[in-house]
Amino acid sequence: MNDPVPSDIVLLSGNSHPEMTSLIANRLGLKLAACSVYNKSNRETVVEIGESIREKNVYILQTGTKDVNNNIMELLIMAYACRTSCAKNIVGVIPYLPYCKQSKMRKRGSIVSKLLAKMIVQAGFTHVITMDLHQKEIQGFFDCPVDNLRASPFLLQYIQDSIPDYRNAVIVARNPGSAKKATSYAERLRLGIAVIHGEQKEAESDMVDGRYSPPPPNSTNPHCFTMDIGMPVVPSNLPKEKPPINVVGDVGGRIAIMVDDLIDDVESFVAAAEILKERGAYKIYVMATHGLLSSDAPRLIEDSPIDEVVVTNTIPHELQKMQCHKIKTVDISILIAEAIRRIHNKESMSYLFKNVTLDD
């Protein structure tokens, strides 16, 4: 940057992804502020900021990794330290928002992403920058502005630049739920789509856990009562049956490109790749924004029909790349750096969402 470095901007980094934070700082022409974040012998997190941040705009760079709970505590404590040190604004730069998959109610569980959003705001954040939330509606959980950036332009550019003969490709939705995302990619690349149907989760077990009504006739609970209505008035749902896996669309003699927002456990991707190979696809790519690649994902990818897995560097995965040569990385630090620059200069963010749809 040729412009003088503003004196009222401070970049702080957690321990989750130092390579990414260095790239962002270099692109902005800034140095990371002195900040020590470490664990004591009893595993408590300690944050010590080494310079004054009074009345300054602080950007805290932290993402979600396998050590997710420690990442969250570092993020919250850093924000609270800035708040109690009289920072003017505190912006959280969280490329991968942890717990974003837990955004729906499951039985007697909880919507954990709602809880995390409340904690982030209470800690002192006044703005959040993230990327490709698992569900776009998560933005509504926050009581502060949220800019949900998209990585699709980078992945689309990778397809055009790095996949030979991509015009002979077909965009594949791994399940019907990701068909909208696949359609969005296909429309901009002028390609066809295919949908894999039948890869559904197992039906819920029919265990007696207290959800059934009326209570059993021999119940000793004096507060139980039943209605004398004869037949039950609430019809029971038919149980789900897992249909045979099938591909809707032609992939024979084509390049198959599966698109998704997150790759963590890869068993479903490998199963989809095997059926695509059976149907005649001669090359198979998997593209996603976030590459968690947990447990033995690198080995499974290495042994699978998948030719290449392309993810961005929102999450560190250098160890996985050493274990599997099929994993490729796309750098999106320039997008995050530009978002920080625009927010700090009070410029419009709409340029970063040009030609980006809600289905991305």
Side-chain angles (χ1 to χ4, degrees), residues 290-337:
H290 310 296
L292 271 171
L293 302 170
S294 299
S295 60
D296 57 348
R299 180 187 60 80
L300 293 173
I301 294 170
E302 191 71 31
D303 298 338
S304 74
I306 297 172
D307 292 282
E308 204 167 273
V309 173
V310 183
V311 292
T312 71
N313 57 344
T314 56
I315 299 171
H317 49 263
E318 292 305 314
L319 182 61
Q320 289 91 330
K321 287 181 73 173
M322 288 190 289
Q323 298 170 349
C324 176
H325 76 283
K326 296 181 180 180
I327 301 171
K328 309 295 180 185
T329 307
V330 176
D331 179 22
I332 46 80
S333 60
I334 189 170
L335 177 62
I336 297 175

Short mmCIF file of all heavy atoms in Angstrom, two decimals, residues 290-337:
data_model
loop_
_atom_site.label_atom_id
_atom_site.label_comp_id
_atom_site.label_asym_id
_atom_site.label_seq_id
_atom_site.Cartn_x
_atom_site.Cartn_y
_atom_site.Cartn_z
N HIS A 290 -14.31 -24.37 3.26
CA HIS A 290 -13.62 -24.71 4.51
C HIS A 290 -13.18 -26.17 4.48
O HIS A 290 -13.99 -27.07 4.24
CB HIS A 290 -14.55 -24.48 5.71
CG HIS A 290 -15.20 -23.13 5.72
ND1 HIS A 290 -14.48 -21.95 5.84
CD2 HIS A 290 -16.50 -22.76 5.63
CE1 HIS A 290 -15.32 -20.93 5.81
NE2 HIS A 290 -16.55 -21.39 5.69
N GLY A 291 -11.91 -26.41 4.74
CA GLY A 291 -11.39 -27.76 4.75
C GLY A 291 -10.93 -28.19 6.13
O GLY A 291 -9.75 -28.09 6.46
N LEU A 292 -11.87 -28.66 6.95
CA LEU A 292 -11.50 -29.16 8.29
C LEU A 292 -10.74 -30.48 8.18
O LEU A 292 -9.75 -30.69 8.87
CB LEU A 292 -12.74 -29.34 9.15
CG LEU A 292 -13.19 -28.13 9.97
CD1 LEU A 292 -14.56 -28.39 10.60
CD2 LEU A 292 -12.19 -27.80 11.05
N LEU A 293 -11.24 -31.39 7.33
CA LEU A 293 -10.57 -32.65 7.03
C LEU A 293 -10.14 -33.38 8.30
O LEU A 293 -8.96 -33.65 8.54
CB LEU A 293 -9.35 -32.38 6.13
CG LEU A 293 -9.67 -31.66 4.81
CD1 LEU A 293 -8.40 -31.23 4.12
CD2 LEU A 293 -10.50 -32.57 3.90
N SER A 294 -11.11 -33.69 9.14
CA SER A 294 -10.84 -34.28 10.45
C SER A 294 -10.44 -35.75 10.36
O SER A 294 -10.64 -36.41 9.34
CB SER A 294 -12.08 -34.14 11.34
OG SER A 294 -12.40 -32.79 11.53
N SER A 295 -9.92 -36.25 11.46
CA SER A 295 -9.54 -37.65 11.69
C SER A 295 -8.71 -38.19 10.53
O SER A 295 -7.68 -37.63 10.18
CB SER A 295 -10.77 -38.50 12.00
OG SER A 295 -11.67 -38.48 10.91
N ASP A 296 -9.17 -39.29 9.90
CA ASP A 296 -8.37 -39.92 8.85
C ASP A 296 -8.83 -39.50 7.45
O ASP A 296 -8.70 -40.26 6.49
CB ASP A 296 -8.42 -41.44 8.98
CG ASP A 296 -9.85 -41.97 8.93
OD1 ASP A 296 -10.78 -41.15 9.03
OD2 ASP A 296 -10.02 -43.20 8.80
N ALA A 297 -9.34 -38.27 7.33
CA ALA A 297 -9.79 -37.76 6.03
C ALA A 297 -8.71 -37.81 4.96
O ALA A 297 -8.98 -38.23 3.83
CB ALA A 297 -10.36 -36.35 6.19
N PRO A 298 -7.45 -37.41 5.25
CA PRO A 298 -6.42 -37.46 4.19
C PRO A 298 -6.21 -38.86 3.62
O PRO A 298 -6.08 -39.04 2.40
CB PRO A 298 -5.16 -36.95 4.91
CG PRO A 298 -5.67 -36.10 6.02
CD PRO A 298 -6.93 -36.76 6.46
N ARG A 299 -6.21 -39.89 4.48
CA ARG A 299 -6.01 -41.25 4.00
C ARG A 299 -7.19 -41.70 3.14
O ARG A 299 -7.00 -42.33 2.09
CB ARG A 299 -5.84 -42.20 5.20
CG ARG A 299 -5.63 -43.66 4.79
CD ARG A 299 -5.63 -44.58 6.00
NE ARG A 299 -6.89 -44.53 6.74
CZ ARG A 299 -7.99 -45.18 6.37
NH1 ARG A 299 -8.00 -45.92 5.26
NH2 ARG A 299 -9.09 -45.11 7.10
N LEU A 300 -8.41 -41.37 3.58
CA LEU A 300 -9.59 -41.76 2.81
C LEU A 300 -9.60 -41.09 1.44
O LEU A 300 -9.97 -41.70 0.44
CB LEU A 300 -10.86 -41.40 3.59
CG LEU A 300 -11.11 -42.18 4.88
CD1 LEU A 300 -12.30 -41.61 5.64
CD2 LEU A 300 -11.32 -43.66 4.58
N ILE A 301 -9.20 -39.82 1.40
CA ILE A 301 -9.14 -39.12 0.11
C ILE A 301 -8.09 -39.74 -0.80
O ILE A 301 -8.29 -39.94 -1.99
CB ILE A 301 -8.85 -37.62 0.33
CG1 ILE A 301 -10.03 -36.94 1.05
CG2 ILE A 301 -8.58 -36.91 -1.00
CD1 ILE A 301 -9.73 -35.53 1.53
N GLU A 302 -6.93 -40.06 -0.20
CA GLU A 302 -5.82 -40.64 -0.97
C GLU A 302 -6.23 -41.97 -1.61
O GLU A 302 -5.82 -42.28 -2.73
CB GLU A 302 -4.61 -40.82 -0.06
CG GLU A 302 -3.32 -41.17 -0.78
CD GLU A 302 -2.76 -40.00 -1.57
OE1 GLU A 302 -2.95 -38.83 -1.18
OE2 GLU A 302 -2.12 -40.28 -2.60
N ASP A 303 -7.03 -42.75 -0.90
CA ASP A 303 -7.42 -44.07 -1.38
C ASP A 303 -8.69 -44.06 -2.22
O ASP A 303 -9.15 -45.11 -2.67
CB ASP A 303 -7.61 -45.03 -0.19
CG ASP A 303 -6.34 -45.23 0.61
OD1 ASP A 303 -5.24 -45.00 0.04
OD2 ASP A 303 -6.43 -45.60 1.79
N SER A 304 -9.30 -42.89 -2.42
CA SER A 304 -10.59 -42.79 -3.08
C SER A 304 -10.43 -42.47 -4.57
O SER A 304 -9.34 -42.12 -5.03
CB SER A 304 -11.43 -41.69 -2.41
OG SER A 304 -10.92 -40.42 -2.78
N PRO A 305 -11.53 -42.54 -5.33
CA PRO A 305 -11.48 -42.14 -6.75
C PRO A 305 -11.37 -40.64 -6.96
O PRO A 305 -11.25 -40.19 -8.10
CB PRO A 305 -12.82 -42.66 -7.31
CG PRO A 305 -13.38 -43.57 -6.27
CD PRO A 305 -12.83 -43.12 -4.98
N ILE A 306 -11.42 -39.85 -5.89
CA ILE A 306 -11.34 -38.40 -6.02
C ILE A 306 -9.95 -38.03 -6.54
O ILE A 306 -8.93 -38.47 -6.01
CB ILE A 306 -11.60 -37.71 -4.67
CG1 ILE A 306 -13.03 -38.01 -4.18
CG2 ILE A 306 -11.39 -36.20 -4.78
CD1 ILE A 306 -13.31 -37.54 -2.77
N ASP A 307 -9.91 -37.19 -7.59
CA ASP A 307 -8.64 -36.77 -8.17
C ASP A 307 -8.05 -35.55 -7.47
O ASP A 307 -6.83 -35.40 -7.40
CB ASP A 307 -8.83 -36.46 -9.66
CG ASP A 307 -9.14 -37.71 -10.47
OD1 ASP A 307 -8.20 -38.47 -10.75
OD2 ASP A 307 -10.32 -37.93 -10.79
N GLU A 308 -8.92 -34.68 -6.97
CA GLU A 308 -8.39 -33.46 -6.34
C GLU A 308 -9.44 -32.88 -5.39
O GLU A 308 -10.63 -32.88 -5.70
CB GLU A 308 -8.03 -32.43 -7.42
CG GLU A 308 -7.00 -31.41 -6.99
CD GLU A 308 -6.45 -30.63 -8.18
OE1 GLU A 308 -5.49 -31.13 -8.81
OE2 GLU A 308 -6.99 -29.57 -8.50
N VAL A 309 -8.99 -32.43 -4.23
CA VAL A 309 -9.83 -31.71 -3.26
C VAL A 309 -9.30 -30.29 -3.16
O VAL A 309 -8.13 -30.09 -2.79
CB VAL A 309 -9.82 -32.40 -1.88
CG1 VAL A 309 -10.56 -31.55 -0.86
CG2 VAL A 309 -10.44 -33.78 -1.97
N VAL A 310 -10.12 -29.32 -3.49
CA VAL A 310 -9.71 -27.92 -3.51
C VAL A 310 -10.45 -27.18 -2.41
O VAL A 310 -11.68 -27.14 -2.39
CB VAL A 310 -10.01 -27.27 -4.88
CG1 VAL A 310 -9.50 -25.84 -4.91
CG2 VAL A 310 -9.38 -28.09 -6.00
N VAL A 311 -9.70 -26.61 -1.47
CA VAL A 311 -10.27 -25.84 -0.38
C VAL A 311 -9.50 -24.52 -0.24
O VAL A 311 -8.38 -24.40 -0.72
CB VAL A 311 -10.23 -26.62 0.96
CG1 VAL A 311 -11.17 -27.80 0.92
CG2 VAL A 311 -8.81 -27.07 1.29
N THR A 312 -10.10 -23.55 0.43
CA THR A 312 -9.42 -22.28 0.68
C THR A 312 -8.64 -22.38 1.99
O THR A 312 -8.76 -23.35 2.73
CB THR A 312 -10.42 -21.12 0.75
OG1 THR A 312 -11.18 -21.22 1.96
CG2 THR A 312 -11.37 -21.13 -0.44
N ASN A 313 -7.87 -21.35 2.27
CA ASN A 313 -7.04 -21.36 3.47
C ASN A 313 -7.72 -20.67 4.66
O ASN A 313 -7.05 -20.07 5.50
CB ASN A 313 -5.68 -20.72 3.20
CG ASN A 313 -5.79 -19.29 2.67
OD1 ASN A 313 -6.86 -18.87 2.23
ND2 ASN A 313 -4.70 -18.56 2.70
N THR A 314 -9.05 -20.79 4.75
CA THR A 314 -9.74 -20.27 5.94
C THR A 314 -9.39 -21.07 7.18
O THR A 314 -9.48 -20.56 8.30
CB THR A 314 -11.26 -20.31 5.74
OG1 THR A 314 -11.65 -21.65 5.42
CG2 THR A 314 -11.71 -19.37 4.63
N ILE A 315 -9.00 -22.33 6.99
CA ILE A 315 -8.63 -23.22 8.09
C ILE A 315 -7.26 -23.80 7.76
O ILE A 315 -7.02 -24.23 6.63
CB ILE A 315 -9.66 -24.36 8.26
CG1 ILE A 315 -11.04 -23.79 8.57
CG2 ILE A 315 -9.23 -25.33 9.35
CD1 ILE A 315 -12.15 -24.82 8.55
N PRO A 316 -6.33 -23.85 8.71
CA PRO A 316 -5.01 -24.42 8.41
C PRO A 316 -5.11 -25.93 8.16
O PRO A 316 -5.77 -26.64 8.91
CB PRO A 316 -4.19 -24.12 9.68
CG PRO A 316 -5.21 -23.93 10.76
CD PRO A 316 -6.42 -23.34 10.10
N HIS A 317 -4.46 -26.39 7.10
CA HIS A 317 -4.50 -27.82 6.79
C HIS A 317 -3.17 -28.27 6.17
O HIS A 317 -3.16 -29.14 5.29
CB HIS A 317 -5.66 -28.14 5.84
CG HIS A 317 -5.76 -27.26 4.63
ND1 HIS A 317 -6.59 -26.17 4.57
CD2 HIS A 317 -5.09 -27.27 3.46
CE1 HIS A 317 -6.43 -25.56 3.41
NE2 HIS A 317 -5.52 -26.22 2.71
N GLU A 318 -2.08 -27.70 6.62
CA GLU A 318 -0.78 -28.07 6.08
C GLU A 318 -0.42 -29.52 6.41
O GLU A 318 0.17 -30.23 5.60
CB GLU A 318 0.30 -27.13 6.63
CG GLU A 318 0.19 -25.70 6.11
CD GLU A 318 0.17 -25.63 4.59
OE1 GLU A 318 1.02 -26.30 3.96
OE2 GLU A 318 -0.69 -24.93 4.03
N LEU A 319 -0.79 -29.96 7.61
CA LEU A 319 -0.50 -31.35 7.99
C LEU A 319 -1.24 -32.32 7.09
O LEU A 319 -0.68 -33.34 6.64
CB LEU A 319 -0.89 -31.57 9.46
CG LEU A 319 -0.61 -32.97 10.03
CD1 LEU A 319 0.89 -33.28 9.97
CD2 LEU A 319 -1.12 -33.07 11.46
N GLN A 320 -2.50 -32.01 6.80
CA GLN A 320 -3.28 -32.89 5.92
C GLN A 320 -2.70 -32.93 4.51
O GLN A 320 -2.71 -33.96 3.84
CB GLN A 320 -4.75 -32.42 5.87
CG GLN A 320 -5.52 -32.67 7.14
CD GLN A 320 -5.45 -31.50 8.11
OE1 GLN A 320 -4.46 -30.78 8.14
NE2 GLN A 320 -6.49 -31.32 8.90
N LYS A 321 -2.16 -31.79 4.04
CA LYS A 321 -1.57 -31.76 2.70
C LYS A 321 -0.31 -32.61 2.63
O LYS A 321 -0.01 -33.19 1.57
CB LYS A 321 -1.24 -30.31 2.32
CG LYS A 321 -2.46 -29.47 1.99
CD LYS A 321 -2.10 -28.06 1.60
CE LYS A 321 -1.47 -28.00 0.23
NZ LYS A 321 -1.25 -26.60 -0.22
N MET A 322 0.41 -32.71 3.72
CA MET A 322 1.59 -33.58 3.74
C MET A 322 1.19 -35.05 3.68
O MET A 322 1.94 -35.89 3.19
CB MET A 322 2.43 -33.30 4.98
CG MET A 322 3.17 -31.97 4.93
SD MET A 322 4.38 -31.77 6.25
CE MET A 322 3.33 -31.57 7.67
N GLN A 323 -0.01 -35.37 4.20
CA GLN A 323 -0.47 -36.75 4.21
C GLN A 323 -1.19 -37.14 2.92
O GLN A 323 -1.34 -38.33 2.64
CB GLN A 323 -1.42 -36.97 5.40
CG GLN A 323 -0.75 -36.76 6.75
CD GLN A 323 -1.75 -36.75 7.89
OE1 GLN A 323 -2.96 -36.70 7.67
NE2 GLN A 323 -1.26 -36.81 9.11
N CYS A 324 -1.64 -36.15 2.16
CA CYS A 324 -2.41 -36.42 0.94
C CYS A 324 -2.05 -35.40 -0.14
O CYS A 324 -2.30 -34.21 0.05
CB CYS A 324 -3.91 -36.38 1.24
SG CYS A 324 -4.95 -36.61 -0.21
N HIS A 325 -1.50 -35.86 -1.24
CA HIS A 325 -1.07 -34.94 -2.30
C HIS A 325 -2.24 -34.42 -3.13
O HIS A 325 -2.05 -33.53 -3.97
CB HIS A 325 -0.07 -35.66 -3.22
CG HIS A 325 -0.72 -36.64 -4.16
ND1 HIS A 325 -1.15 -37.90 -3.74
CD2 HIS A 325 -1.02 -36.55 -5.48
CE1 HIS A 325 -1.68 -38.53 -4.77
NE2 HIS A 325 -1.61 -37.75 -5.83
N LYS A 326 -3.44 -34.94 -2.92
CA LYS A 326 -4.60 -34.52 -3.71
C LYS A 326 -5.22 -33.22 -3.20
O LYS A 326 -6.08 -32.65 -3.88
CB LYS A 326 -5.67 -35.62 -3.70
CG LYS A 326 -5.25 -36.92 -4.37
CD LYS A 326 -6.39 -37.93 -4.31
CE LYS A 326 -6.00 -39.25 -4.98
NZ LYS A 326 -7.10 -40.23 -4.93
N ILE A 327 -4.82 -32.75 -2.03
CA ILE A 327 -5.43 -31.55 -1.43
C ILE A 327 -4.71 -30.31 -1.96
O ILE A 327 -3.49 -30.20 -1.86
CB ILE A 327 -5.35 -31.60 0.11
CG1 ILE A 327 -6.08 -32.84 0.64
CG2 ILE A 327 -5.95 -30.33 0.71
CD1 ILE A 327 -5.87 -33.08 2.13
N LYS A 328 -5.48 -29.39 -2.54
CA LYS A 328 -4.95 -28.13 -3.07
C LYS A 328 -5.58 -26.96 -2.32
O LYS A 328 -6.73 -27.05 -1.86
CB LYS A 328 -5.24 -28.00 -4.57
CG LYS A 328 -4.81 -29.21 -5.40
CD LYS A 328 -3.32 -29.42 -5.39
CE LYS A 328 -2.92 -30.64 -6.22
NZ LYS A 328 -1.48 -30.93 -6.14
N THR A 329 -4.83 -25.85 -2.24
CA THR A 329 -5.28 -24.70 -1.45
C THR A 329 -5.41 -23.47 -2.34
O THR A 329 -4.55 -23.21 -3.19
CB THR A 329 -4.29 -24.39 -0.32
OG1 THR A 329 -4.08 -25.58 0.45
CG2 THR A 329 -4.83 -23.30 0.59
N VAL A 330 -6.50 -22.73 -2.13
CA VAL A 330 -6.72 -21.44 -2.80
C VAL A 330 -6.63 -20.34 -1.74
O VAL A 330 -7.30 -20.42 -0.71
CB VAL A 330 -8.10 -21.41 -3.49
CG1 VAL A 330 -8.37 -20.04 -4.09
CG2 VAL A 330 -8.19 -22.49 -4.55
N ASP A 331 -5.81 -19.34 -1.99
CA ASP A 331 -5.61 -18.26 -1.03
C ASP A 331 -6.70 -17.21 -1.18
O ASP A 331 -6.90 -16.65 -2.26
CB ASP A 331 -4.23 -17.63 -1.26
CG ASP A 331 -3.95 -16.48 -0.30
OD1 ASP A 331 -4.58 -16.44 0.77
OD2 ASP A 331 -3.09 -15.62 -0.63
N ILE A 332 -7.43 -16.94 -0.09
CA ILE A 332 -8.49 -15.92 -0.13
C ILE A 332 -8.17 -14.74 0.81
O ILE A 332 -9.04 -13.96 1.14
CB ILE A 332 -9.87 -16.53 0.22
CG1 ILE A 332 -9.82 -17.45 1.46
CG2 ILE A 332 -10.42 -17.32 -0.94
CD1 ILE A 332 -9.83 -16.76 2.75
N SER A 333 -6.90 -14.62 1.22
CA SER A 333 -6.53 -13.56 2.16
C SER A 333 -6.78 -12.17 1.57
O SER A 333 -7.09 -11.23 2.31
CB SER A 333 -5.07 -13.69 2.57
OG SER A 333 -4.21 -13.59 1.46
N ILE A 334 -6.67 -12.03 0.24
CA ILE A 334 -6.87 -10.72 -0.37
C ILE A 334 -8.31 -10.24 -0.18
O ILE A 334 -8.56 -9.04 -0.03
CB ILE A 334 -6.49 -10.75 -1.87
CG1 ILE A 334 -6.48 -9.34 -2.44
CG2 ILE A 334 -7.43 -11.65 -2.66
CD1 ILE A 334 -5.89 -9.25 -3.83
N LEU A 335 -9.27 -11.15 -0.17
CA LEU A 335 -10.67 -10.78 0.02
C LEU A 335 -10.89 -10.28 1.44
O LEU A 335 -11.57 -9.26 1.66
CB LEU A 335 -11.56 -11.99 -0.27
CG LEU A 335 -13.07 -11.81 -0.05
CD1 LEU A 335 -13.61 -10.72 -0.96
CD2 LEU A 335 -13.81 -13.11 -0.28
N ILE A 336 -10.34 -10.97 2.42
CA ILE A 336 -10.50 -10.55 3.82
C ILE A 336 -9.79 -9.22 4.06
O ILE A 336 -10.32 -8.34 4.75
CB ILE A 336 -9.98 -11.65 4.76
CG1 ILE A 336 -10.82 -12.92 4.60
CG2 ILE A 336 -10.01 -11.18 6.21
CD1 ILE A 336 -10.32 -14.11 5.39
N ALA A 337 -8.60 -9.07 3.48
CA ALA A 337 -7.87 -7.82 3.64
C ALA A 337 -8.65 -6.65 3.03
O ALA A 337 -8.72 -5.56 3.61
CB ALA A 337 -6.49 -7.94 2.99
#
